[in-house]
């Protein structure tokens, strides 16, 4: 049996933070900004699309378009996740961005509901594919010692896009700027312009050397790492010798593992990790979608906030969601994954339960409700981001993108569909007590997930990916 030894993972992990890393983070991390922009923009212009001088949609059609977007994201994650493991990270993070760009640009020219829904589906395909391709590439390019904080910060940038979407809606729908008839179209077109600009930057991000070496392309992987080191040496001077073990690849493979092999690894080799990942993804998806997709309904139905002012309440909510991963992220690398995942999940659940109780008792006004949600989601945003970090780093390289896609799809399928539907029905009752029941379910789910993580999650902080989960093409590893 031929054994190929490589120090490429150790060389990548020992690199000092540099301008090259910043370019990678910006070029790849914008995927979450685009998702936040899309979701918030559609939510903010929903009422405008009901006007007869725009698309004349019904409330049901607007809700259905949101479900179509989620369905596209789920299918896109599964389809492009499979291709990411098979064809490489770079090809797919370029392809998925092109799919997103085409979908959102076409949305701007929608003449009717059918075309609008189709465009939302295509846009969702691109966004879902981005999650699988981008999380894989980031983890494999970022040094192990800062992988946690970088991954959390990038996932939290969804809310920068959310704030941008809210701001665009306020400006573009203003009659003194463009107005509602054409402003909503301009918003989607601007999203496409941003995507094209990022596509130009993304072309310079290399293929993952880790993926290349695992697929038998050692010379190409070495050439890329040599180029990266040469660039970083111009900024930081001579680099220290790589520290850490050499990875032995016993069977470099040209193809990605079969779905049967993926299932075997998830269910037999890493059953505890799969259980934790499933709990984290489903609970955070329910938690988030329950609140965010009914945010406007709670404000307008229970607090009498005018529909045109709802976007203003998104800004403090978005701020809490951005600051959480940024400020708490370093602790995931120092204090550790298990402790911080458990802490943020449990405290977010307790915070939501207390906020729900105050809402039910009528102790809050609209501003107080928004501020309480902002505080809760300061913790919940770090928790949700850590779920994506977990599924992206605790499974073998050859199936990393597919693992991300599977858990993303299950989380979005369960939480993304069930939570808005349940809370929509609860809000329709007009009863604060009924809505509190929904908050209680969301709180219980994340608390249980946090406790499971405390007991069973992997200690992945500051460890090379190959140590956390040995590649399938290297010497076998098991649950630990």
């Amino acid at each position: 049996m031929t054994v190929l030894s490589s120090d490429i993972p150790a060389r990548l992990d020992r690199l000092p933070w540099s301008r090259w890393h910043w370019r990678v983070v910006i070029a790849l991390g914008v995927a979450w900004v685009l998702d936040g922009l899309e979701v918030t923009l559609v939510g903010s212009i929903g009422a405008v699309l009901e006007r007869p001088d725009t698309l004349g949609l019904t409330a049901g059609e607007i809700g259905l378009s949101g479900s179509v977007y989620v369905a596209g994201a789920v299918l896109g994650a599964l389809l492009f996740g499979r291709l990411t493991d098979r064809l490489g990270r770079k090809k797919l993070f370029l392809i998925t961005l092109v799919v997103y760009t085409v979908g959102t640009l076409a949305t701007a020219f929608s003449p009717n509901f059918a075309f609008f829904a189709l465009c939302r589906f295509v846009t969702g395909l691109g966004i879902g594919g981005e999650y699988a391709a981008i999380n894989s590439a980031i983890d494999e390019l970022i040094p192990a010692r800062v992988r946690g904080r970088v991954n959390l910060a990038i996932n939290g940038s969804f809310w920068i896009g959310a704030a941008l979407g809210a701001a665009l809606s306020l400006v573009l729908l203003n009659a003194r700027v463009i107005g509602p008839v054409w402003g909503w179209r301009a918003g989607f077109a601007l999203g496409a312009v941003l995507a094209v600009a990022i596509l130009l930057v993304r072309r310079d991000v290399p293929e993952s050397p880790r993926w290349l070496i695992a697929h038998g392309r050692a010379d190409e992987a070495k050439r890329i790492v040599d180029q990266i080191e040469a660039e970083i040496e111009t900024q930081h001077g001579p680099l220290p010798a790589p520290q850490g073990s050499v990875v032995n690849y016993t069977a470099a493979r040209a193809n990605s593992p079969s779905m049967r092999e993926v299932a075997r690894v998830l269910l037999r080799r890493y059953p505890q990790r799969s259980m934790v990942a499933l709990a984290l993804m489903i609970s955070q998806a329910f938690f988030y979608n329950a609140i965010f997709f009914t945010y406007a309904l709670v404000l307008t139905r229970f607090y009498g906030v005018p529909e045109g002012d709802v976007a203003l309440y998104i800004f403090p909510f978005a701020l809490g969601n951005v600051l959480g991963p940024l400020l708490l992220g370093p602790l995931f690398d120092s204090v550790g994954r298990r402790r911080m995942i458990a802490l943020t999940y449990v405290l977010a659940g307790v915070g939501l339960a207390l906020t729900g109780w105050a809402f039910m008792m009528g102790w809050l006004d609209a501003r107080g409700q928004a501020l309480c949600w902002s505080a809760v989601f300061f913790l919940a945003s770090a928790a949700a981001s850590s779920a994506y970090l977990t599924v992206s780093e605790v499974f073998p390289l050859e199936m990393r993108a597919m693992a991300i896609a599977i858990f993303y799809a299950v989380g979005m399928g369960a939480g993304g569909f069930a939570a808005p539907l349940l809370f929509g029905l609860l809000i329709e009752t007009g009863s604060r007590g009924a809505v509190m029941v929904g908050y209680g379910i969301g709180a219980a789910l994340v608390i249980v997930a946090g406790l499971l993580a405390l007991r069973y999650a992997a200690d992945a902080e500051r460890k090379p990916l190959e140590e956390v989960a040995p590649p399938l093409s290297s010497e076998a590893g098991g649950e630990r």
Side-chain angles (χ1 to χ4, degrees), residues 381-431:
S381 182
S385 297
S386 72
Y388 287 97
L389 168 65
T390 298
V391 300
S392 69
E393 69 179 354
V394 300
F395 298 107
L397 182 150
E398 294 90 340
M399 52 173 281
R400 176 166 291 124
M402 195 63 214
I404 295 169
I406 289 171
F407 290 108
Y408 171 81
V410 173
M412 286 299 292
F417 283 105
L421 176 62
L422 173 63
F423 270 77
L425 294 173
L426 294 176
I427 290 170
E428 284 296 326
T429 67
S431 166

Side-chain angles (χ1 to χ4, degrees), residues 227-247:
Q227 292 171 351
I228 295 171
E229 290 175 336
E231 179 178 341
I232 293 177
E233 282 182 335
T234 62
Q235 179 183 354
H236 290 282
L239 299 174
Q243 301 294 320
S245 59
V246 170
V247 180

Side-chain angles (χ1 to χ4, degrees), residues 248 250 264-265 268-271 273 394 396 466-480:
N248 295 316
T250 57
R264 180 185 62 78
V265 172
R268 296 184 62 183
R269 183 171 170 182
Y270 295 118
R273 295 182 182 188
V394 300
E466 294 74 17
E467 181 179 339
V468 178
L472 299 177
S473 53
S474 73
E475 297 172 354
E479 184 86 67
R480 54 183 176 179

Side-chain angles (χ1 to χ4, degrees), residues 44-324:
S44 299
I45 67 172
V48 169
L49 297 180
E50 295 182 89
R51 293 172 46 140
D53 55 353
T54 57
L55 292 183
L57 304 184
T58 66
E61 287 174 333
I62 293 174
L64 180 58
S65 69
S67 297
V68 167
Y69 176 82
V70 172
V74 168
L75 291 176
L78 294 172
L79 170 63
F80 292 122
R82 183 71 172 155
L83 293 176
T84 298
D85 285 332
R86 177 175 297 176
L87 304 178
R89 312 322 189 197
K90 180 166 185 174
K91 287 181 181 178
L92 269 297
F93 65 60
L94 294 176
I95 290 172
T96 53
L97 186 56
V98 170
V99 171
Y100 163 81
T101 304
V102 171
T104 195
L105 181 61
T107 305
F109 297 94
S110 299
N112 52 45
F113 169 69
F115 190 88
F116 180 80
L118 175 62
C119 292
R120 301 311 300 150
F121 179 78
V122 173
T123 305
L125 281 175
I127 288 294
E130 287 272 284
Y131 274 95
I134 299 305
N135 268 314
S136 302
I138 287 173
D139 276 4
E140 291 166 15
L141 292 171
I142 298 300
R145 67 184 180 281
V146 294
R147 189 172 62 240
R149 71 191 70 187
V150 171
N151 195 298
L152 260 68
I154 289 174
N155 278 282
S157 66
F158 173 97
W159 297 99
I160 296 176
L164 180 59
L168 278 176
S169 67
L170 288 172
V171 173
L172 298 177
L173 299 181
N174 191 314
R176 290 174 294 181
V177 182
I178 296 180
V181 176
W182 295 101
W184 70 273
R185 298 183 186 273
F188 287 111
L190 287 175
V193 170
L194 174 61
V196 170
I198 296 300
L199 185 62
L200 298 176
V201 177
R202 206 175 264 191
R203 292 181 308 172
D204 294 328
V205 177
E207 178 57 87
S208 164
R210 283 179 154 103
W211 182 88
L212 290 170
I213 193 71
H215 286 77
R217 296 160 63 177
D219 291 341
E220 187 176 349
K222 182 178 183 303
R223 184 167 62 252
I224 289 174
V225 175
D226 287 344
Q227 292 171 351
I228 295 171
E229 290 175 336
E231 179 178 341
I232 293 177
E233 282 182 335
T234 62
Q235 179 183 354
H236 290 282
L239 299 174
Q243 301 294 320
S245 59
V246 170
V247 180
N248 295 316
Y249 297 88
T250 57
R253 52 205 300 166
N255 298 320
S256 56
S258 66
M259 291 307 298
R260 173 180 291 185
E261 189 173 3
V262 170
R264 180 185 62 78
V265 172
L266 294 180
L267 300 178
R268 296 184 62 183
R269 183 171 170 182
Y270 295 118
Q272 292 180 1
R273 295 182 182 188
S274 297
M275 174 187 65
V276 170
L278 195 63
L280 295 180
M281 291 298 286
I282 290 178
S283 62
Q284 67 84 24
F286 186 95
F287 192 95
Y288 257 96
N289 288 304
I291 305 302
F292 188 58
F293 280 98
T294 56
Y295 195 79
L297 287 176
V298 170
L299 291 174
T300 55
R301 297 284 181 90
F302 292 98
Y303 294 110
V305 174
E307 290 183 353
D309 293 341
V310 168
L312 296 174
Y313 289 83
I314 291 178
F315 293 113
F317 186 70
L319 181 62
N321 276 278
V322 171
L323 291 178

